[in-house]
Amino acid sequence: MSSKPPEGLPAPADGGLPATALAELPLRPLGVYIHVPYCASRCGYCDFNTYTASELGGGTSAATYAATAIEEIRLAARVLGPGAPPVDTVFFGGGTPTLLPPADLAALLAAVDETFGLRPGAEVTTEANPESVDAASLEQLRAAGFTRVSFGMQSARPHVLAALDRRHTPGRLPDVVCWARKAGFDQVSVDLIYGAPGESDRDWAASLEGALELAPDHVSAYALTVEDGTKLARRVRRGELLEPDDDLLADRYLQADETLTAAGLSAYEVSNWATGPSAWCRHNLGYWRGGGWWGVGPGAHSHVGGVRWWNVRHPSEYGDRLRAGQSPARAREVLDPRERQLERVMLGVRLAEGLPLAELTPAGAAALDELVGSGLVAPEGLADGRVRLTRDGRLLTDTVVRALLSDL
């Protein structure tokens, strides 16, 4: 939901897709992403397509959002047609999805089930800020069919949370995780951010230990980035805060990997650790493996069979289009074979399972000797026919990708 979508080509008013794209639908798992664009307040580092009540003005309100988004779910079913497989994963992101009442989230999930069908054992995730849920709401979500919850922890230190403009206190996390476990969620994940202004080595160590004390099934850890147009970027530009240092971020990453690995979680993707394959986020794996998904909501992105499109950003325009019987898609692009190969390499190399050697051009394969010699690619992976990054390689993923794509 970045603030800078590409320009793209005009999207059809009815949302229709080429027959070649639809023909690929049965070949891969299908996911649905539901974007809930509301937040109680805006975090200083965030450039996602989200709105507070004061920013929305006369736009579509949270009270009517579920009914509006259900119209897009029905549109998706018409566009994808009878060839669409049952949905394998549903992911509610934002924004803060749990600002909506549990009944609204349940209605959205029920609409997906009614229009597409949910595959048996489907993974259904919601993101949640710790202050936006309680024991009762989590019980309602679990009863509605949600199987996984991802809490935005970010840090265990109050001054770091304050630097990020987060509203919750560290003491809230043990409570919400306990409530989620009691409600019966299959998987509990926590998100962390490292490199915030004022964060020390000791602070980051405390955040990692605090996360592990929650006994999560899954941990995501991301380096803080300074995005244009954010409050954080303005403060850095004015000299009030220092931009995160690349060497410090690398040290923080290594610290995370060492700590999490020692505790029994392993990295299955560059920024994601889990207790085992059953705890991997299947929805995100769909993105990384080039699967199909329909993104519902303002600014949401979708991909089916090499066609990628993105919705208009403001909730008001989004609702107006759907009420007029039109697709909310603002623009789209049709990827050619070269572009699809580029994406397979860029995303596949991030996974611990590795990238099949067959995806490389002769020039890309020729670069492997130097990458192995530099300690960025694991030689044992090549024997299995896959490109797998070492820990150092994960720090320099972009360098590896550039080498593998030098002739494309």
Side-chain angles (χ1 to χ4, degrees), residues 171-207:
R172 182 75 172 173
L173 264 297
D175 288 341
V176 296
V177 170
C178 179
W179 296 333
R181 295 293 189 195
K182 286 183 177 179
F185 279 86
D186 297 340
Q187 306 291 341
V188 174
S189 178
V190 296
D191 288 355
L192 297 171
I193 290 178
Y194 54 89
E199 179 191 68
S200 67
D201 293 347
R202 186 170 297 180
D203 291 333
W204 180 229
S207 293

Side-chain angles (χ1 to χ4, degrees), residues 137-158:
S137 66
L138 288 166
E139 287 176 0
Q140 289 174 274
L141 292 173
R142 183 67 188 97
F146 285 74
T147 65
R148 186 174 181 275
V149 59
S150 180
F151 291 116
M153 176 180 174
Q154 316 313 358
S155 176
R157 295 296 205 196

Side-chain angles (χ1 to χ4, degrees), residues 164-333:
L164 295 170
D165 293 319
R166 301 291 293 185
R167 292 166 64 99
H168 70 273
T169 60
R172 182 75 172 173
L173 264 297
D175 288 341
V176 296
V177 170
C178 179
W179 296 333
R181 295 293 189 195
K182 286 183 177 179
F185 279 86
D186 297 340
Q187 306 291 341
V188 174
S189 178
V190 296
D191 288 355
L192 297 171
I193 290 178
Y194 54 89
E199 179 191 68
S200 67
D201 293 347
R202 186 170 297 180
D203 291 333
W204 180 229
S207 293
L208 292 167
E209 292 303 327
L212 290 173
E213 287 172 3
L214 303 172
D217 307 286
H218 185 284
V219 174
S220 299
Y222 301 105
L224 179 67
T225 55
V226 180
E227 302 289 353
D228 290 342
T230 62
K231 177 182 175 183
L232 176 62
R234 291 190 293 272
R235 296 189 69 190
V236 168
R237 189 169 57 248
R238 291 194 298 262
E240 298 172 11
L241 298 173
L242 293 177
E243 189 162 3
D245 176 78
D246 287 344
D247 290 338
L248 179 143
L249 294 177
D251 289 342
R252 292 276 194 271
Y253 179 85
L254 293 174
Q255 186 178 359
D257 191 54
E258 290 167 2
T259 301
L260 296 172
T261 300
L265 287 83
S266 57
Y268 69 99
E269 191 272 343
V270 169
S271 299
N272 292 272
W273 292 257
T275 54
S278 64
W280 294 353
C281 180
R282 284 159 42 197
H283 186 82
N284 286 343
L285 281 169
Y287 297 152
W288 298 321
R289 290 171 174 167
W293 74 90
W294 190 293
V296 174
H301 287 230
S302 304
H303 170 262
V304 171
V307 180
R308 188 162 48 212
W309 68 96
W310 44 96
N311 287 348
V312 295
R313 295 175 52 78
H314 198 279
S316 180
E317 184 180 4
Y318 172 78
D320 288 345
R321 289 201 180 197
L322 286 166
R323 284 187 288 272
Q326 297 180 351
S327 165
R330 187 182 76 81
R332 76 181 190 184
E333 56 188 356

Side-chain angles (χ1 to χ4, degrees), residues 10 15 36 77 80 144 195 209 272 289 343 370 374-375 383:
V36 179
L80 298 183
E209 292 303 327
N272 292 272
R289 290 171 174 167
E343 290 208 345
E370 184 174 348
S374 301

